Amino acid sequence: MASAAASAASEEAVKAAKVLMVGAGGIGCELLKTLALSGFSDIHIIDLDTIEVSNLNRQFLFRKTHVGQSKAHVARDAILKFRPNINIKSYHANVKDSEFNVDFFKQFNVVLNGLDNLDARRHVNRLCLAAEVPLVESGTTGFLGQVTVHVKGKTECYECQPKPVPKSYPVCTITSTPSKFVHCIVWAKDLLFAKLFGDKNQDNDLNVHSKDGSSSNSDVFKRDADEDLDQYARRIYDHVFGYNIEAALDNEETWKNRKRPNPIYIRDALPEEALKQNGSSGDCTKEHEEPSAMASLGLTNPQEIWTLADNSRVFVEAFKLFFEKREKEVGNLIFDKDDQLAVEFVSTAANIRAYSFGIPLHSLFEAKGVAGNIVHAVATTNAIIAGLIVIEAIKVLRGDYKNYRMTFCLEHPTRKMLLMPVDPFEPNKSCYVCSETPLLLDVNTKETKLREVIDKIIKSKLGMNLPLVMIGSTLFFEDGDGLEEDEAANYALNLDKVLAELPAPVINGTKLTVEDFQQELSCSINIKHSPFQKDWL
């Protein structure tokens, strides 16, 4: 009888629930299907992305005809075909948009996350805390996965435990002495691609001075007025893979205990006859398709490891296509793993550099995985995690707090188990998001500018989108669209002042109050002046 009553209670809770799903990708597709088949009848979905061909092997609500369309809208339509009587509302939008504020979140009984980036996860966590709506968080990496439950005041929030920081590499290794393929990828993505196609004003560690005076510009990466694209492409190739390597070889000390790299010039890698036979950029794709160097050159297998010559051909073709087909974007581009042309350029540049340093070459498919920090998804893991999310959501809706579980999906059995459930942790009393514990910032207040603190601490590390910064009742910075022109100008002036010279000086012992009204988050930062402290920059 008790079991039947519990089952009836669960069924009623599910039927009455209004659920918000954030993310309609690998986990999201499986989750939406499982929710619909479990009796949920009022589901809202938010997802910013459109469907890519690479999604089709694991996101089973999508078909090839859907490529380029909204994930949220297509997922909704797919489910309504076999559950036509339920209510599903889809939003092709960013969950960080202002319309998805605390009041929006308050209408839901539970929020289910199927996101793939830390920034959005932190944002949703804060809105759920402010709205006092339970959050079921999830993630997968290959065969690994986890589901965690976050309820304000009862369990830890998503940010109570520090998250892994993406691995970084010393600049000298990247620019001068790479020993792994990932070093070549970082060089190609963060230095070469950014220098050629990104913001020209950003600092960049690439050598811009030509050894042979082949360019009339002081910056070799700038195109000469009388230079055609073929000449420009060849000159850049020779500079980054030839002259720069020769310049590095001049430092004999560096190579005493290392294998010396070989400079590569385009005349050796790709004879002029082969270069002339390179694909015609104008015929590379149909008008409505994205430009692709592979398509232009008739290469069809991204899992094949190309020769130096083929990598060189694709590199030159991709370079030219950016300027011929996407010239308006040049100067504002940021590498995106879903941008085919960017992947082609970065992968081939990394392979040419790897060849120079005696590092094994990789296929385009493998290089894309390294460049995008991709661990290829496993559909079965997504399905398992989606099922676990729904189980925890039902417990949340029933108020079954004692039976909440954090569950980890393992690749290899531990104690004969592939699913490892553990009790949720209690809130971390030192968490700046869900508790009122102030933070401590060691900083040189006489050298550090307000801009650095806002960009690198408040926005980057604390994850605030539209911060407001005060000392007591004195407001000296606010971000947002609704500011008066004179206010915005005053705040902009403060950005380039060092902390100790602000209208209300920030010195040793100062207590900053930082707020984000969109997230309804407020925290305090105690300042400690440290003459040599700038490690966080």
Side-chain angles (χ1 to χ4, degrees), residues 366-377:
E366 294 168 324
K368 178 180 178 179
V370 177
N373 299 314
I374 298 169
V375 177
H376 294 288

Side-chain angles (χ1 to χ4, degrees), residues 166-238:
K167 187 169 178 59
S168 59
Y169 301 94
V171 171
C172 56
T173 300
I174 300 305
T175 57
S176 305
T177 55
S179 58
K180 299 176 182 177
F181 186 70
V182 66
H183 298 157
C184 300
I185 284 284
V186 173
W187 174 87
K189 180 175 70 167
D190 295 348
L191 296 183
L192 184 59
F193 183 88
K195 184 68 179 175
L196 286 167
F197 309 119
D199 184 352
K200 306 297 182 189
N201 297 318
Q202 285 190 343
D203 290 339
N204 194 300
D205 290 294
L206 278 179
N207 172 28
V208 301
H209 302 294
S210 177
K211 189 176 178 182
D212 68 341
S214 61
S215 173
S216 59
N217 289 311
S218 58
D219 182 345
V220 74
F221 289 93
K222 290 182 179 177
R223 185 177 176 183
D224 291 335
D226 58 349
E227 195 171 35
D228 66 32
L229 266 179
D230 279 317
Q231 293 170 328
Y232 185 30
R234 287 197 295 268
R235 183 166 60 75
I236 294 300
Y237 187 107
D238 284 348

Side-chain angles (χ1 to χ4, degrees), residues 27-47:
I27 294 174
C29 280
E30 293 294 331
L31 178 56
L32 184 57
K33 174 200 71 178
T34 308
L35 287 171
L37 294 174
S38 301
F40 287 83
S41 58
D42 193 356
I43 308 166
H44 292 232
I45 322 164
I46 303 172
D47 196 298

Side-chain angles (χ1 to χ4, degrees), residues 1 68 102 114 117 182 222 238 250 256 263 275 299 301 317 326 339 395 410 467 471-472 481 488 499:
M1 287 291 290
V102 174
N117 73 87
V182 66
K222 290 182 179 177
D238 284 348
D250 288 343
K256 276 187 176 179
L275 193 59
L299 296 169
N301 186 2
E317 189 68 13
R326 298 174 59 178
D339 182 336
K395 293 178 191 175
L410 311 175
I471 300 176
D481 296 329
L499 297 178

Side-chain angles (χ1 to χ4, degrees), residues 516-533:
D516 187 319
F517 289 128
Q518 185 186 24
Q519 298 176 345
E520 292 199 12
L521 175 66
S522 176
C523 69
S524 299
I525 302 176
N526 291 329
I527 300 295
K528 179 182 177 183
H529 174 71
S530 300
F532 306 107
Q533 183 65 36

Side-chain angles (χ1 to χ4, degrees), residues 95 124 241 453:
V95 72
V124 171
F241 302 120
V453 174

Side-chain angles (χ1 to χ4, degrees), residues 395-409:
K395 293 178 191 175
V396 166
L397 294 171
R398 288 175 51 193
D400 192 6
Y401 165 62
K402 291 184 178 179
N403 286 314
Y404 291 173
R405 293 291 182 271
M406 298 192 301
T407 306
F408 298 89
C409 183

